Structure formats: structure tokens, C-alpha cells
Amino acid sequence: SGRVMDSMSRGHGWRFLDMGRRLERAVSLTLTIDATITTAKPAEPLVLESLLEAADSAITYRRRYLASLHAAAVLDLLLTDPTNPRSVVFQLGALLEHVVKLPHLAGRARDGIESAIAQGADALLARLEELSVHRLAEVGVDERREALAALMAELARELPAFSDALTESYLNHATQ
């Protein structure tokens, strides 16, 4: 990763490499959040601390919130914070920047797919930016965070779909 950031020219190959890295990071974080905090646990502070460590965001959390661990604050940092380079919103923003800069190949029916990819990423990004992390952190009667679980299921569907659409549009030459 360091060699790529320092030494690789910023052509289309680098753009696809970085998009893959962004998608992988967003999917990984989505699955980790889904596996750890969609159900409230008695040892939740330990789970939240572990989640922050796994997301490489513990220091940022401590610096920003200075308080004990709260699910809403952790979700704010890991899902909706556009300044945290580890958040899902940050990954989607970077992905969208790359998508709009992808080449448009003349004579090929890619404009519709390119537009759909950009619109889908933009819509998902806007949805995440409008979320109430306090609502996501609400625990129901069955100790489950239903809104968070639904969002994680949506992200687990949508993020791989972006990867599939990019692959079909740019990397699958068998259908051309």
C-alpha cells in the first residue's frame, strides 16, 4: 500500500486499484460492525473498544470524544464521519471521486452503466450522510439494534454490487 501511494503513477490502473481498496475497506468495516454491535452485549464497552482498534480509529475517538465509549459516537466516527479516512462515508466519497474520473470509451455502451454506478454511489453516500447515529444506536426490546442491522444488510448488498457493476463495465471483456 505504501509503495503504491508513493511510487505508482496516478493513471487508470492506480484508480482501479484504489477503488478496490476503498470497496474492500467499506465492506470489511460493514461486516465487522454487523458482527459486533447490531446486538447489544453486557460487555459492550470492550466490544466498542475492539471495534475502534480494528478500524484503526481508537486514537481519533479518544481525541474527539474524550468520554467513555458510546455506540452512537462510535457509529458516527466509523459510518458517517467524512473526515475519518477509515469511515464508510469517506470510502464512498473517494469511490465516487474515482468513478466520475473513469474513462469514457467511445463506441461502447458504457455511459448508462457509468451513470448508474455514479448515481448509486451518490445516493448511498447521501443516505449515509443523513443518518441519525442516535437512531442507529437505539436498542430494541430484544437487545437488537434493528435500524443498524438493516443498514448493515443494505451496505452488504450495495457495496459488492458496485464492485460487480465496475467489473462488468470496465474489466469484463467477454461481453463486449
Side-chain angles (χ1 to χ4, degrees), residues 54-81:
D56 199 25
S57 296
I59 292 171
T60 305
Y61 183 91
R62 285 188 210 107
R63 187 194 59 193
R64 187 173 298 167
Y65 296 103
L66 301 175
S68 60
L69 295 165
H70 299 284
V74 170
L75 291 171
D76 178 50
L77 184 63
L78 298 182
L79 285 178
T80 64
D81 185 350

Side-chain angles (χ1 to χ4, degrees), residues 20-33 79 86-89 91-92 95 155 159:
R21 186 170 63 98
R22 302 293 179 179
L23 280 166
E24 283 181 3
R25 184 172 286 166
V27 168
S28 175
L29 185 55
T30 296
L31 295 175
T32 304
I33 289 171
L79 285 178
R86 299 294 182 161
S87 75
V88 173
V89 162
Q91 304 313 315
L92 284 172
L95 176 65
L155 287 173
L159 292 170

Side-chain angles (χ1 to χ4, degrees), residues 3-45:
R3 186 173 297 275
V4 166
M5 291 307 294
D6 288 344
S7 304
M8 192 171 178
S9 62
R10 299 304 195 253
H12 297 308
W14 172 82
R15 194 168 307 287
F16 280 105
L17 187 65
D18 196 57
M19 284 191 302
R21 186 170 63 98
R22 302 293 179 179
L23 280 166
E24 283 181 3
R25 184 172 286 166
V27 168
S28 175
L29 185 55
T30 296
L31 295 175
T32 304
I33 289 171
D34 187 43
T36 56
I37 63 172
T38 52
T39 302
K41 297 170 180 65
E44 187 157 270

